[in-house]
Amino acid sequence: MTPELTLGPLVLPTPLLMAPMAGYSDLPFRLAVRALGGLGLAFTEMLNPHSVLIGGGRKRTALLATSPEDRLLGHQTYGSDPALVVEAARWLEAHGAALIDINLGCPTRKIANRGAGAGFLKKPDQALLMVRAVVQAVRLPVTVKLRLGWDTNLVSTTGLIGELEQTGVKAITLHARTGIQGYTGVADWREIRRAVETARTVPVIGNGDIFTPGQALAMFRETGCRGIMVGRGILKDPWLIRRIWDALQGKPDIEPTREERARFFLDHLDAMARHYGEDTGPLLFRKWIPQYAPSLRLDKATKHRWLQVRDGRELRADIVKCLAIE
Ligand SMILES: Cc1cc2nc3c(=O)[nH]c(=O)nc-3n(C[C@H](O)[C@H](O)[C@H](O)COP(=O)(O)O)c2cc1C
């Protein structure tokens, strides 16, 4: 039986979530992954409250862009100033958001040193105050995403999970690494299991190191988590969530062909050109080249050449020629 995941009033079609990823989880990528199937919920990247409230211009428009096909979508925000985070959450609610997620997990020094993201795990009481303030300020379901702790003091499973549950959040996503670990080492799924055992009313979503359908099945089995969030794995293989969904339903794992991958790659480039503009889109797209290179079996010279191209149209023409697609 496939696990079911409900976040307050939101019943997810599948228990599989695409992680918020700054610079990657934008509208073109979300729509491309949704079209492949299996996705229960996607997130925006972490939104700076200043940009949400007073930012202007094309960057903010592109960050906040969504569409009727882009459902279900959670908006993630973060910050060290609870009043500002509350205001951003209210603004997002007034502008049609369906769910607010609070980031208590970003380990980037610039953010954590200011006391935001995973920086909050150094002072769990303040994290709780902020989360409670946001929950009380909006009618939308509010969720949190956190790491195990800032350092080896694993605040998540030594109290914080239970206390977060009391704030009224509708789900807790746990990336099973500490803040100082960044992305090194391995995610400690035993801590996800502990969080699952602690949380009585709120679903725990497991996160960390899912790169194959087999690993996702193992995480469900070993931790008892109610949902799984996939991050880096989906950047390398946009089919991953669909493949996990097939595995959960006992269907065979059908890997896409190189032709399908090449077509996806080009469609993604075109979608970015439409979204960000014919000049900027293809240049922004270059960050995807190293992600897709292994599954497209790109040789080093081609990859290097594409990363150097300064003209979007030239890049597209070269891609079409090299991958032999119309
Ligand atoms: C490029 C990149 C950007 C990320 N940006 C965010 C973000 O904006 N908000 C957030 O909560 N986590 C962010 N993360 C962390 C992921 O959401 C996820 O927790 C982490 O990658 C672990 O999952 P994985 O092992 O499946 O990649 C980011 C990760 C990467 C690799």
Side-chain angles (χ1 to χ4, degrees), residues 26-74:
D26 58 2
L27 181 63
F29 189 59
R30 294 196 303 263
L31 290 179
V33 170
R34 287 182 194 285
L36 301 175
L39 184 59
L41 176 68
F43 287 91
T44 64
E45 67 175 54
M46 51 194 263
L47 302 167
N48 180 324
H50 279 290
S51 319
V52 169
L53 295 165
I54 48 176
R58 292 178 63 177
K59 185 156 182 257
R60 176 198 197 222
T61 310
L63 273 181
L64 290 173
T66 179
S67 72
E69 304 78 46
D70 188 28
R71 302 284 181 271
L72 296 164
L73 177 67

Side-chain angles (χ1 to χ4, degrees), residues 19-22 24 46 76 103 145 175 183 207-209 230-232:
M21 281 178 286
Y24 290 93
M46 51 194 263
Q76 192 190 60
N103 180 321
K145 176 167 179 282
H175 176 192
Y183 293 89
N207 173 234
D209 296 354
V230 182
R232 292 162 298 165

Side-chain angles (χ1 to χ4, degrees), residues 259 262-263 266-267 270 316-317 319-321 323-326:
E259 287 64 35
R263 166 56 58 194
L266 189 66
D267 287 348
D270 288 342
R316 189 184 191 284
I319 288 175
V320 169
K321 191 166 133 236
L323 297 180
I325 27 182
E326 289 302 302

Side-chain angles (χ1 to χ4, degrees), residues 173-238:
T173 304
L174 187 59
H175 176 192
R177 283 188 173 81
T178 62
I180 52 170
Q181 261 187 295
Y183 293 89
T184 61
V186 285
D188 186 352
W189 293 359
R190 290 169 310 177
E191 293 297 324
I192 298 178
R193 167 98 232 161
R194 282 199 188 107
V196 168
E197 284 163 359
T198 307
R200 290 175 192 283
T201 53
V202 166
V204 171
I205 297 160
N207 173 234
D209 296 354
I210 300 294
F211 297 98
T212 65
Q215 288 169 335
L217 296 191
M219 185 189 268
F220 274 123
R221 200 174 51 240
E222 289 170 21
T223 70
C225 66
R226 298 270 289 283
I228 285 185
M229 180 182 277
V230 182
R232 292 162 298 165
I234 197 98
L235 303 181
K236 297 245 173 261
D237 178 10

Side-chain angles (χ1 to χ4, degrees), residues 162-174:
E163 286 171 311
L164 279 170
E165 216 179 357
Q166 303 300 316
T167 64
V169 294
K170 300 294 186 237
I172 296 169
T173 304
L174 187 59

